[in-house]
Amino acid sequence: MKLSSKLVKTTVSALALSAALSSASVFAAGQPDHLGKKQQTNSYSYRYIDVQLLGINDFHGQLDVTRNVGGRAVGRADYLAAYLKQRERENKNTLLVHAGDAVGASSPVSALLQDEPTIEFLNKLGFDVGTLGNHEFDEGVDEMLRLINGGTHPKTGYFRGADFPYVSANVIDKKTGKPILPPYVIKKVKGVPIGFIGVTLSDTPSIVTPSGVAGVTFTDEAEAINKAVKQLKRLGVRAIVVLAHNPGVSNKDGSNESGEIVDIAKKVDDEVDVIFAGHNHAYLNAEVDGKLLVQSYSYGTAFSDVDLTIDRRTKDVVAKKAEIVTTYQDSIKPDPKITKFIDKYEAKVSPIINQVIGTAKTTISAEQNASGESALGNLIADAQRTAMKTDFAFMNPGGIRANIEQGEVTWGELYNVQPFSNQLVKMTLTGEQIRKLLNQQWQSNQTRMLQISGLTYTWDTSKPIDKVVDIYLPNGAKLDPNAEYTVTANSFLADGGDNFTVFTEGKNREVGPVDLDALIHYIQQLPQPFDARIEGRIQQLR
Ligand SMILES: [Zn+2]
């Protein structure tokens, strides 16, 4: 519902009263109703219930990954669990929700086991409802539904699936014309129904490999939400929460909100009270058109704590506020059960991490020569060009994080070389655009030499700008500025990363496998022991 500002102010003072009462532990939330009834002298506490929604988005299976925020360690599933359980103890009317990308682009401890450990983690915490992000589609609809509903995978055997429902109002089965999952679920808290609607970025087909979204279409988010709201209202539901895998961002104080979710919020029925956003891994805590919008970064480095006051008589939300809480490790003890759980899966994946992919004849180094070429850069660019079957491939040097040492090469070593799980993107660029792209390597503050495959070129250090001189095709002919060529880049570059803005102009985009998988498959099909060397693909003239 939409609140007038007057009403909000009234309920704020009512909230303060409620807080005072519950701190006196007369009406500790979650106690059986009959206790409350004994105390009906205070009609406020009986009439209103406080509901806490704890939400995460874009967790990406980061079960065992510690990150850094302002010099302090954050994240890891056992710390996140400790924070969520701590908040749950403060209000027993708590529901746990997630807004998509819980899985996909995950840590090996989860990725190598089809992300089953991440779903199991959410089960263990008692999640109540989730929705689909774009990454849930990474391995196709069937595998996504197996992970949710349970089933057998050749690699991992039987998995029981998620213990909680997934909702999705705008992912439609092409065959049946109906949503592939329930558009919404209704959760009852102390007899009051709360509706949860799910939607996923309608742009998903343009950022997921085509096989991932085969058989489904994505419809307009706002229209799908409004349709579900109508049904919920008919069922007497007035407290409505949307889980949306759509981006949004705001300042810490809630000002300057922007992004797709802001537009969606303005378009949807005012009966919607709260929207959990996701996808761009940002901070969002703002009110738009009477709806409270939140997002809590990503990777379990934070979570959203939304506090609702619901009027039992009208069944509607009368007050709401949110806090985005960072999961600093130095402020809490990790949950011991989850620590054990992570240890168990780390032990389970260690044979895969130690699996030998090939044997390197020599150490293949990421170190560039004076011209800007490296042996490992060549190997990776060749792997990407082969995987996507394009004329050329370009790899950002910053994405190569370690050398391949001489001798047996394990999966874990290659993961350390390419740890970002970027998907490969195929696109079309003209010869002229490729020249412009190569000239973007010399930026005012930094030079970044792209590692290349399928072409060679010369450049002149003495030129102040536009240093590229001649670009050659494998047959020795010069690149035709007017011809179109197919090109592979990883998703980071394809989005214009490192200021290589030319990639954003690429046409006929198509998303392929994760970069690491492309490298593994390429090495596996090379004659062993394999090698890669500097070949003069890039030549500095002066
Ligand atoms: Zn996403």
Side-chain angles (χ1 to χ4, degrees):
M1 69 165 270
K2 195 169 181 173
L3 294 167
S4 72
S5 57
K6 209 166 143 195
L7 217 155
V8 172
K9 277 188 194 120
T10 336
T11 52
V12 165
S13 56
L15 250 185
L17 172 66
S18 155
L21 278 168
S22 70
S23 68
S25 84
V26 178
F27 290 110
Q31 290 199 7
D33 274 347
H34 67 268
L35 269 181
K37 277 175 190 154
K38 267 190 214 163
Q39 307 283 346
Q40 275 187 26
T41 44
N42 191 307
S43 63
Y44 174 83
S45 286
Y46 182 71
R47 182 166 168 189
Y48 298 99
I49 56 165
D50 294 326
V51 175
Q52 177 175 250
L53 305 176
L54 301 178
I56 57 169
N57 55 276
D58 301 272
F59 181 62
H60 289 293
Q62 303 292 296
L63 296 171
D64 60 340
V65 183
T66 292
R67 285 188 156 71
N68 218 289
V69 171
R72 293 166 73 185
V74 299
R76 256 185 79 99
D78 43 358
Y79 288 91
L80 173 64
Y83 273 98
L84 294 176
K85 286 182 182 178
Q86 185 184 56
R87 297 264 163 158
E88 263 187 309
R89 283 194 293 273
E90 290 167 7
N91 183 347
K92 282 180 183 160
N93 298 333
T94 294
L95 294 170
L96 295 173
V97 304
H98 83 73
D101 281 5
V103 297
S106 313
S107 165
V109 72
S110 182
L112 287 170
L113 298 167
Q114 293 302 118
D115 275 322
E116 290 171 8
T118 295
I119 299 294
E120 203 183 327
F121 167 63
L122 300 176
N123 286 346
K124 277 186 188 300
L125 285 183
F127 264 68
D128 293 284
V129 54
T131 195
L132 308 171
N134 49 296
H135 276 284
E136 268 79 4
F137 292 88
D138 283 351
E139 297 194 16
V141 173
D142 288 349
E143 172 59 5
M144 176 180 77
L145 292 177
R146 184 193 73 90
L147 212 47
I148 294 170
N149 299 327
T152 304
H153 189 279
K155 211 153 99 185
T156 52
Y158 178 76
F159 178 64
R160 79 173 194 274
D163 291 344
F164 56 94
Y166 271 72
V167 285
S168 174
N170 75 326
V171 182
I172 310 295
D173 186 327
K174 276 183 184 165
K175 264 191 222 146
T176 64
K178 293 196 174 118
I180 57 170
L181 289 166
Y184 59 81
V185 288
I186 301 167
K187 296 274 171 185
K188 281 205 172 168
V189 178
K190 297 211 159 183
V192 177
I194 306 174
F196 289 87
I197 303 167
V199 287
T200 306
L201 197 71
S202 55
D203 278 345
T204 293
S206 66
I207 54 170
V208 171
T209 172
S211 61
V213 291
V216 293
T217 53
F218 292 72
T219 62
D220 182 79
E221 295 90 336
E223 280 173 29
I225 293 167
N226 283 336
K227 198 173 155 192
V229 169
K230 212 186 244 178
Q231 291 169 21
L232 284 168
K233 278 160 95 172
R234 220 178 283 144
L235 296 168
V237 180
R238 290 290 177 272
I240 298 179
V241 177
V242 173
L243 308 178
H245 196 73
N246 289 89
V249 63
S250 76
N251 288 348
K252 290 280 162 70
D253 64 2
S255 63
N256 258 335
E257 71 279 4
S258 67
E260 219 172 81
I261 201 64
V262 172
D263 303 325
I264 292 171
K266 287 175 184 163
K267 283 190 221 160
V268 299
D269 192 301
D270 288 342
E271 202 66 65
V272 171
D273 301 289
V274 182
I275 303 178
F276 286 84
H279 189 60
N280 61 328
H281 300 198
Y283 176 99
L284 171 65
N285 185 359
E287 196 159 323
V288 175
D289 192 33
K291 292 128 193 160
L292 179 59
L293 274 51
V294 293
Q295 185 184 184
S296 46
Y297 301 102
S298 60
Y299 304 140
T301 60
F303 62 93
S304 306
D305 180 344
V306 173
D307 294 322
L308 304 177
T309 303
I310 300 179
D311 184 338
R312 285 190 200 232
R313 194 181 298 166
T314 62
K315 298 185 169 40
D316 208 345
V317 174
V318 292
K320 55 196 174 191
K321 63 179 167 58
E323 180 192 358
I324 309 303
V325 186
T326 298
T327 53
Y328 292 112
Q329 292 184 354
D330 58 18
S331 307
I332 205 161
K333 280 208 174 75
D335 185 277
K337 279 187 194 146
I338 301 298
T339 306
K340 239 184 230 164
F341 167 83
I342 298 170
D343 290 347
K344 180 182 91 180
Y345 279 111
E346 280 185 332
K348 198 164 177 184
V349 297
S350 76
I352 307 175
I353 290 176
N354 296 325
Q355 181 195 332
V356 176
I357 303 298
T359 305
K361 204 186 248 173
T362 54
T363 291
I364 302 170
S365 169
E367 198 181 320
Q368 294 174 11
N369 66 4
S371 293
E373 183 179 342
S374 79
L376 185 50
N378 287 345
L379 180 76
I380 290 171
D382 287 348
Q384 299 189 351
R385 186 166 69 91
T386 304
M388 298 303 283
K389 300 184 178 70
T390 54
D391 298 320
F392 312 131
F394 299 93
M395 172 66 198
N396 55 310
I400 307 172
R401 311 298 292 187
N403 296 334
I404 293 177
E405 301 296 331
Q406 183 180 11
E408 285 188 339
V409 178
T410 63
W411 189 97
E413 265 185 271
L414 294 176
Y415 178 83
N416 290 333
V417 173
Q418 297 223 268
F420 297 111
S421 296
N422 284 317
Q423 281 178 297
L424 299 182
V425 180
K426 177 182 180 173
M427 64 178 81
T428 308
L429 291 174
T430 64
E432 199 182 330
Q433 284 173 317
I434 288 165
R435 173 177 289 271
K436 196 172 138 202
L437 169 75
L438 291 173
N439 277 322
Q440 285 187 331
Q441 296 177 118
W442 296 276
Q443 294 161 12
S444 56
N445 57 336
Q446 204 174 348
T447 295
R448 289 190 186 87
M449 298 303 286
L450 293 169
Q451 300 304 295
I452 61 171
S453 175
L455 72 164
T456 61
Y457 72 94
T458 56
W459 63 280
D460 186 343
T461 49
S462 67
K463 288 188 173 186
I465 53 160
D466 295 342
K467 293 177 190 282
V468 172
V469 183
D470 290 312
I471 309 172
Y472 299 98
L473 299 169
N475 63 7
K478 282 194 185 171
L479 189 83
D480 177 354
N482 298 314
E484 288 196 328
Y485 299 94
T486 53
V487 162
T488 302
N490 63 41
S491 51
F492 168 76
L493 281 178
D495 291 340
D498 281 348
N499 296 319
F500 287 104
T501 56
V502 172
F503 283 120
T504 62
E505 300 166 12
K507 284 189 268 177
N508 309 318
R509 297 164 91 94
E510 204 178 287
V511 180
V514 167
D515 49 13
L516 175 61
D517 290 337
L519 181 61
I520 288 169
H521 291 147
Y522 184 70
I523 289 174
Q524 280 171 331
Q525 55 82 51
L526 287 176
Q528 303 292 331
F530 70 96
D531 200 7
R533 56 192 70 203
I534 290 173
E535 302 167 356
R537 296 181 188 187
I538 307 172
Q539 285 192 47
Q540 178 188 336
L541 293 177
R542 271 181 277 186

